[in-house]
Amino acid sequence: MLLSKLLGGCDVLNINGDTDIQIEQIKINSREVNEGDCFICLVGVNSDGHNFANEAIARGARAVICCNDYSNSLATVVKVDDTRKAYSVIASNYYGNPSEKLKIITVVGTNGKSTTAYIVKELLERNGISCGLIGTMYYEYNGTRLSSNLTTPDPIVLQELFAKMLASGVEYVVMELSAHAIYLNKLYGVCAEMSIFTNLSQDHLDFFGNMNDYGKCKKSYFDKKNTRLAIINVDDALGLEIIKEEKLPIITYGLENPSDAFAINISQTSYGETFVANVLDDILDIDCKFFGKFNIYNLLGALVAVKKVGLSNAQIMQTLREVDAPDGRFNVIKKSGITYVVDFAHTPDGIFNLLKEGRGMTDKRVITIFGCGGDRDVTKRPIMGKIASEMSDIVIVTSDNPRTESREGIAGDILQGVNPKGQLFVELDRAKAIKLGMELADKGDIVFIAGKGSENYIDENNIKIPYSDMQEVRRWLG
């Protein structure tokens, strides 16, 4: 594609060189540049792409996109206001702007994004509306499933996914939108049909520094340039802030405050939740396989979205009877009177909601097995330790994804907040920790295995070792 075409829609400040040149591919890593590529200088936390522009040109880059002063007569140099915004626009242009032909639903929030997106996708797909899914668990469309490296992929990967989905006949795409992706403008220039806000709680403070900046980042997305409709959890404090600012049309959902969608007569069976939902004055009797109050919030947000798409009450009610909970999100196995739950809960709010739900499911003991990921928000570790120890009868602190940190160091951070009311164990081999928890369990107990959910690896020292919590539970159960 011609460079001049790729630059369409970019905020260009200056051009030195010819733009009527053919560009082969878009690269942000100088080591991956080949002859005829365009290199974009991204400024990151630990590195600056401008420092590698000369290397990119030496490898054959015909054009360099920069936002700082840079010159090199061997390539066309284009200065833009913001290279991350330009990256998103250029990536979209490169693939023919596929998002303009797709109907995109984004899900923003700390917890519940994966489940909410999954519910929307299942409801649409099972009712004849082709829907792609982009998120933490995987990327999926029309029977093709790809592993997910990032919750929200980088622009060039994202736009390629959009293009493939469009070519395969996808009409809607539901996708998780992380705070990092908002901050890095990964979806800049893409306007969603609607966006669901789930909640805000502590996470990613290693990147954002404090809750105020983390919340401001998520809130900044809810603007007319990014989405046409906001579906907001009115029981969340940040949700209330978004509503008060009234930057775009809003539909609310909740359980405690007045809202456009809410649930009453909530009851739990051995298979999931039942409740009566009022969604935009339509009454739906919901009988589903999802457990927990937190999942009722996820369901309400999803129900608003699919109602706006056009699904009927009958379609929604029938389909929800059939849809299983997504992998790694409150997956339940019962054997010999003991309940085992595998869940992705990896934040203070997530583990609090998980254990609160557990307390309502048994009058016996709650056993919690969890760890915290390395190279991530350190401040949440003792908080999670405190919550787990105060809400459990037995706590087993183990490893999660240590990454480049030591298992012992992470566990030490968790233990700083532990105030055990019951028994405390530390077993840093996660498989052995699960075996220990299962051996300690008696009839009527509930065993929570939290933090990894559907992940099929342990990330340690930059190596991903095959591993699954659910497989370990099944293995020890025989």
Side-chain angles (χ1 to χ4, degrees), residues 96-197:
N97 301 302
S99 66
E100 294 179 0
K101 306 172 189 72
L102 294 164
K103 296 171 184 175
I104 295 172
I105 301 170
T106 56
V107 186
V108 178
T110 305
N111 296 313
K113 294 192 299 296
S114 294
T115 300
T116 301
Y118 168 85
I119 295 168
V120 172
K121 191 256 185 188
E122 288 294 307
L123 285 170
L124 295 183
E125 282 265 302
R126 289 170 184 249
N127 286 287
I129 299 173
S130 182
C131 182
L133 176 67
I134 298 174
T136 305
M137 296 186 291
Y138 44 76
Y139 311 145
E140 186 174 63
Y141 61 95
N142 281 343
T144 297
R145 180 175 290 188
L146 306 171
S147 60
S148 169
N149 294 319
L150 294 170
T151 298
T152 311
D154 286 338
I156 199 70
V157 176
L158 178 62
Q159 294 296 335
E160 183 182 18
L161 268 173
F162 284 158
K164 288 180 177 179
M165 289 179 179
L166 183 64
S168 73
V170 166
E171 182 180 358
Y172 279 85
V173 178
V174 59
M175 60 179 293
E176 299 178 50
L177 184 57
S178 67
H180 291 78
I182 297 169
Y183 181 85
L184 298 173
N185 285 301
K186 289 187 179 183
L187 225 63
Y188 181 79
V190 175
C191 189
E193 287 292 307
M194 61 189 90
S195 300
I196 303 169
F197 173 73

Side-chain angles (χ1 to χ4, degrees), residues 136 148-149 151 204 206 329 343-346 369-378 380-381 384 397-411 413-414 427-431 449-469:
T136 305
S148 169
N149 294 319
T151 298
H204 305 304
D206 54 312
R329 269 64 178 178
D343 192 84
F344 188 56
H346 63 287
I369 305 164
F370 84 105
C372 291
D375 302 335
R376 299 293 188 268
D377 183 2
V378 175
K380 72 180 182 181
R381 295 173 186 172
M384 291 176 66
V397 175
T398 187
S399 63
D400 195 312
N401 289 319
R403 298 185 177 89
T404 64
E405 290 191 66
S406 71
R407 298 183 183 190
E408 292 79 8
I410 296 170
D413 290 338
I414 295 170
E427 172 52 74
L428 299 182
D429 184 310
R430 193 170 177 96
I449 303 155
K452 292 187 66 62
S454 62
E455 288 182 351
N456 57 7
Y457 61 84
I458 289 177
D459 188 343
E460 188 165 16
N461 296 320
N462 296 316
I463 298 172
K464 289 188 175 181
I465 304 160
Y467 170 86
S468 164
D469 279 349

Side-chain angles (χ1 to χ4, degrees), residues 236-250:
D236 184 89
L238 187 67
L240 286 173
E241 288 184 29
I242 296 169
I243 293 165
K244 288 175 183 176
E245 292 188 1
E246 296 183 348
K247 288 185 176 181
L248 71 170
I250 288 173

Side-chain angles (χ1 to χ4, degrees), residues 1 6 55 88-89 100 134 136 138 142 185 188 196 222 232 268 270 276 284 311 325 338 355 396 411 418 441 443 460:
M1 181 178 285
L6 289 174
E55 179 187 347
S88 295
V89 173
E100 294 179 0
I134 298 174
T136 305
Y138 44 76
N142 281 343
N185 285 301
Y188 181 79
I196 303 169
F222 290 90
I232 304 296
Q268 189 176 95
S270 59
V276 176
L284 296 85
L311 292 195
I338 302 171
L355 298 182
I396 303 173
V418 167
K443 186 175 182 179
E460 188 165 16

Side-chain angles (χ1 to χ4, degrees), residues 41-54:
C41 303
L42 300 183
V43 180
V45 176
N46 300 313
S47 63
D48 184 343
H50 294 82
N51 295 331
F52 303 95
N54 287 342

Side-chain angles (χ1 to χ4, degrees), residues 227-238:
T227 186
R228 297 179 178 90
L229 171 69
I231 301 168
I232 304 296
N233 177 2
V234 75
D235 294 341
D236 184 89
L238 187 67

